[in-house]
Amino acid sequence: MANHLKEERTLVIIKPDGIQRSLIGEILRRYERLGLKLVAIKMMVPNKDHIEKHYTLDPNWRTITGEKTIASYKKKGMKPPSEDPLEITAVILENLKTYMTSGPVIVMVWKGVHAVKIVRKITGGTEPLTSDVGTIRGDFVLDSYQISDIDKRSVRNLIHASGTEDEAEKEIKHWFEENELINYRHIQEAILYDVNLDGILE
Ligand code: GDP
């Protein structure tokens, strides 16, 4: 847990499709203009082992994602490919490993008040078809589970963003060495966080 609320951090990955769609600048702009502070950034091509570890940092991820996917099939009146959540997630994970290692990604850490929730809000829901208008996924991509399932691949949704503060801290440690994270003061923090806004008037 962060010491002060403005110290909250979250991990964001621009996935290979985000890079190939020339959306790096657009995506950075969306987070930057909120007032979040970028404290780490790098481009890399991850390997499959790194991706598997990323998705399974939460030991319950396989079960939760499998159950969620089965429920989403049933809600749409469709028969899930299996009733076993672990079988479903095994396929999802294989597809994610192919997707996430298909080209370079950009990994970053953003810091600020409510960083985790604010980034998730701006990023939009996981499935682009139903992501809200105005979110990055809602505005810049058109994929759906229906189409990605037919093609037996991951849904292309441009970005990964941590789901909770606890998940964020684990993911940051998974992707970055401590010395890659930069502690610095951003001049706009005064206007975002100073209680009395001292120092504006001359
Ligand atoms: P995130 O938190 O937005 O990254 O999404 P989740 O952790 O809930 O899901 C991770 C991945 O699982 C997604 O990127 C999808 O590839 C896959 N996934 C999640 N829910 C479903 C679903 O209902 N159907 C299918 N086909 N895939 C899903």
Side-chain angles (χ1 to χ4, degrees):
M1 190 63 177
N3 322 327
H4 183 282
L5 291 175
K6 71 181 167 59
E7 301 298 313
E8 186 174 315
R9 309 189 293 183
T10 193
L11 183 103
V12 175
I13 304 174
I14 305 180
K15 296 178 176 178
D17 54 329
I19 313 275
Q20 296 303 318
R21 297 276 316 282
S22 302
L23 289 172
I24 300 169
E26 178 64 41
I27 292 169
L28 290 176
R29 186 178 76 102
R30 295 267 176 141
Y31 300 129
E32 189 181 30
R33 69 184 185 178
L34 285 169
L36 291 169
K37 177 164 71 174
L38 185 63
V39 297
I41 183 163
K42 64 182 170 191
M43 187 181 228
M44 63 189 284
V45 182
N47 65 34
K48 289 192 175 184
D49 182 52
H50 196 74
I51 295 302
E52 172 152 350
K53 289 206 178 95
H54 164 82
Y55 280 104
T56 53
L57 284 170
D58 172 0
N60 298 317
W61 181 82
R62 290 174 197 266
T63 312
I64 294 167
T65 306
E67 285 171 352
K68 212 171 71 179
T69 306
I70 292 172
S72 112
Y73 273 98
K74 292 187 172 168
K75 203 171 142 207
K76 284 183 256 176
M78 290 159 68
K79 189 171 148 14
S82 163
E83 288 292 338
D84 177 1
L86 297 181
E87 231 173 82
I88 301 256
T89 324
V91 175
I92 289 179
L93 192 54
E94 265 324 295
N95 290 339
L96 282 169
K97 279 156 57 177
T98 305
Y99 173 32
M100 294 294 287
T101 61
S102 63
V105 300
I106 288 180
V107 197
M108 35 196 173
V109 178
W110 290 92
K111 196 187 244 191
V113 156
H114 305 301
V116 172
K117 284 204 184 82
I118 291 269
V119 162
R120 292 279 280 199
K121 182 185 79 166
I122 285 291
T123 303
T126 308
E127 187 191 25
L129 177 65
T130 55
S131 309
D132 288 336
V133 171
T135 65
I136 302 169
R137 288 168 173 161
D139 286 356
F140 294 107
V141 69
L142 43 63
D143 206 8
S144 69
Y145 290 137
Q146 191 192 347
I147 299 304
S148 63
D149 282 350
I150 290 171
D151 289 347
K152 298 191 181 358
R153 58 167 176 78
S154 286
V155 69
R156 292 192 184 133
N157 59 9
L158 306 173
I159 293 162
H160 165 79
S162 309
T164 63
E165 281 177 67
D166 184 46
E167 196 178 290
E169 289 303 318
K170 285 188 188 137
E171 290 179 353
I172 291 167
K173 281 192 184 62
H174 179 61
W175 288 89
F176 287 97
E177 301 294 336
E178 200 48 50
N179 65 7
E180 292 178 293
L181 299 158
I182 300 177
N183 278 320
Y184 67 101
R185 183 172 300 120
H186 196 302
I187 202 148
Q188 76 177 348
E189 285 171 285
I191 210 75
L192 292 170
Y193 305 124
D194 269 9
V195 176
N196 297 317
L197 293 179
D198 298 321
I200 295 178
L201 292 173
E202 295 194 326

